[in-house]
Structures are given as structure tokens and as C-alpha cells.
Amino acid sequence: MLKAGLVNPFVESAYKFLQDEVHMEVTRGQLRLETSKATQGEINVALGVAGDAEGIVIYSMSEKVAKAIASALLDDVVPVFNELAESSIAEMGNIITGQAAAGLEEHGYVCKLTPPTIIAGKGVMISTVDIQRLVIPIELPVGLMEISVALRYYNRK
Amino acid sequence: MLVVDDAMFMRSKASKLLSQEGYEVVEASNGAEAVEAYKAEKPDLVLMDITMPVMDGIEAVKNIKAYDSEAKVVMVTALGQRSMVLEAIRAGAKDFVVKPFQADKLLEAVKRLCPNA
């Protein structure tokens, strides 16, 4: 059973980023565990985690939501999801996961992250192999963003 | 100033801020490019991300410090873990700014290390 202390860093850092940097009201939906490979969103940001916690964190959203977030971050309208918009969404994943990693460290789990990767396309299949994904739905005024946390936790320091 | 980040968005944000303050800015998108750019440009200060492809920021700081022991590097990173701060300081970084950075915090760090630039 995953402890709340290991989920909260992701929820808290996502809330903080979306409220402070994207200036959107956020509501958390019902957490769920998934084993399916397909993601719900057209735009996915994936970051690998290694160390005392190992696995992957995926931020999944529709292109509409990605464009709205990118517009807020770039302080400009994003009509097309171009390279700069992609970079801003990737950096969102990097910052939220980086701050969550700081929270995990407080619980004794020291980990490092890989650079973010963007995977675009409807119904993309991303397998986390034998690690279940804990899905945290974040409801935004422009639509839904889901954070999938598929981590295996090792020795606590 | 040398701004090093694999995210075009962050390079663009930091470069815009520094240019508006009158600093001349050079960009690099990974640690290996940063080491080459440092040798070519000899910037007054380096703003360095940590998690990057090809060569990460910690390795790049070690390389830059080996080339120039007086090099001034500020880590600008999403990784706020204490262990990461210590690793960066041990590698030779002079300061640490956590992303998303506030403009005044970043400029404060720049001015503290380069009061005459």
C-alpha cells in the first residue's frame, strides 16, 4: 500500500506550480491505480526516476490543456503546439517532479531524474512493465491533467 | 553571461531577463556545449541547469572549474533536494536558485557574484 507521504509531494508541487505559475484554480480528482498501457492524453511528458525510488512519472493532457498551460507560461497565445510550447510543457514536468523529489527526500528517499521526454499522440501506449501506475487527476478550468506515478520504493535512509 | 539549460523555454526566459538588464548572453543546451562555450567566451557568470542530456550540470561545473578555478557558476534547477545542493556546491557552484525562479531572486544572485558586470 502506497503511503500518503509518498503521494503528497507530487500533489503539492503540482498544485503550487499550477496555481503560482499557470494561475489556474486546481481541484484534485479521485486517485486510482492502473495497469493499462494506454494514456488518456494527446500530450504526455515522461520523466525517469532513479535512486531510492525508481520508475517513471508521466504528465498526460489533451492538446487543448497543453496549449492553455503553455500560453500561461509563455505569457503569449499558443495557437500551434510548437517547439517552444513543447519545451514549456516539458519544463513544467521537470519542475513539478523536481520539487516532488525534494519532498520525497524529506521522507528519506533520495532520487535523481532524467530529462523530460514529450510523447505526443492519442491513446499512446506507455508500459510501466510491472509497476502499477498511481493516477492523480488534476482538474483545471481548461480540462484535465493526469499525473501517473509509477515508482518502486527501495531502502529508506 | 552563459545560460545553460536543455529547455528552450527556460533559456529564452533567463536570456530575456538578463538582456533586459543589459547583460550580454550566450546560450548552451547541455553540459558539453556549456564547457565549450565557456572556453570560447569566458563569461563572467554561468547559470547552469542540472538535469540535461549529453552531460549534466554537475559534471559540466566540474569540467569548467578544472579549466578555470575562478569560474563563477550559479545552479538554476528544478531539483531542490538538499543532497543535490550539496553535490553542486562540492562541484564548485557558488549559488543555487530553484526553478521556477523569481526574476528578482535570479538577478540578486547575478549581481551578488558579478557586481561590476
Side-chain angles (χ1 to χ4, degrees):
Chain A
M1 185 73 178
L2 196 56
K3 291 177 185 164
L6 303 181
V7 176
N8 287 343
F10 290 94
V11 177
E12 284 164 11
S13 80
Y15 265 50
K16 188 171 185 326
F17 183 86
L18 292 165
Q19 284 173 336
D20 295 354
E21 303 299 319
V22 183
H23 311 294
M24 285 186 190
E25 283 303 312
V26 289
T27 316
R28 196 185 85 178
Q30 187 67 45
L31 297 179
R32 62 181 193 276
L33 273 172
E34 275 194 6
T35 47
S36 77
K37 289 179 186 175
T39 62
Q40 306 295 316
E42 298 159 299
I43 307 291
N44 302 281
V45 186
L47 291 101
V49 179
D52 297 335
E54 265 182 17
I56 192 167
V57 181
I58 304 162
Y59 299 82
S60 182
M61 68 213 84
S62 66
E63 190 173 313
K64 180 187 157 208
V65 170
K67 280 195 220 169
I69 293 174
S71 296
L73 292 173
L74 296 166
D75 201 18
D76 201 0
V77 180
V78 174
V80 180
F81 194 64
N82 58 15
E83 207 182 340
L84 188 58
E86 220 174 65
S87 169
S88 68
I89 293 297
E91 196 56 17
M92 172 191 75
N94 190 35
I95 290 172
I96 294 175
T97 315
Q99 290 178 351
L104 288 180
E105 189 180 75
E106 286 172 17
H107 289 272
Y109 298 93
V110 178
C111 30
K112 288 191 171 182
L113 310 179
T114 64
T117 302
I118 295 265
I119 303 150
K122 233 174 194 166
V124 165
M125 309 286 268
I126 302 173
S127 170
T128 53
V129 195
D130 55 347
I131 311 176
Q132 276 195 317
R133 289 189 290 137
L134 176 79
V135 182
I136 307 165
I138 306 267
E139 282 164 24
L140 302 166
V142 288
L144 183 70
M145 177 171 85
E146 291 193 327
I147 308 174
S148 293
V149 182
L151 295 179
R152 185 178 283 133
Y153 297 88
Y154 292 104
N155 295 337
R156 194 176 161 170
K157 298 221 165 71
Chain B
M1 302 284 144
L2 173 58
V3 174
V4 189
D5 202 306
D6 58 327
M8 185 201 287
F9 160 67
M10 289 309 295
R11 288 200 307 274
S12 155
K13 195 174 167 185
S15 296
K16 190 174 165 192
L17 175 69
L18 292 168
S19 300
Q20 280 169 349
E21 290 293 311
Y23 296 106
E24 201 178 311
V25 182
V26 176
E27 296 181 8
S29 62
N30 63 56
E33 274 183 21
V35 176
E36 291 311 309
Y38 188 89
K39 289 176 181 172
E41 304 286 341
K42 302 272 167 43
D44 293 322
L45 185 72
V46 183
L47 300 179
M48 179 81 78
D49 185 21
I50 291 184
T51 308
M52 292 183 288
V54 187
M55 182 190 287
D56 71 27
I58 302 279
E59 204 51 42
V61 177
K62 287 179 187 167
N63 276 274
I64 288 172
K65 294 296 277 189
Y67 173 76
D68 176 7
S69 59
E70 300 297 311
K72 293 171 184 170
V73 183
V74 176
M75 305 310 287
V76 184
T77 175
L79 304 177
Q81 302 108 301
R82 211 173 308 131
S83 55
M84 202 53 78
V85 178
L86 290 174
E87 202 178 334
I89 300 292
R90 271 199 295 267
K94 302 266 185 204
D95 208 340
F96 202 96
V97 175
V98 177
K99 288 192 230 172
F101 61 77
Q102 302 298 316
D104 55 343
K105 287 270 170 17
L106 188 72
L107 291 173
E108 202 181 290
V110 169
K111 283 172 184 162
R112 192 167 45 240
L113 286 168
C114 297
N116 303 316

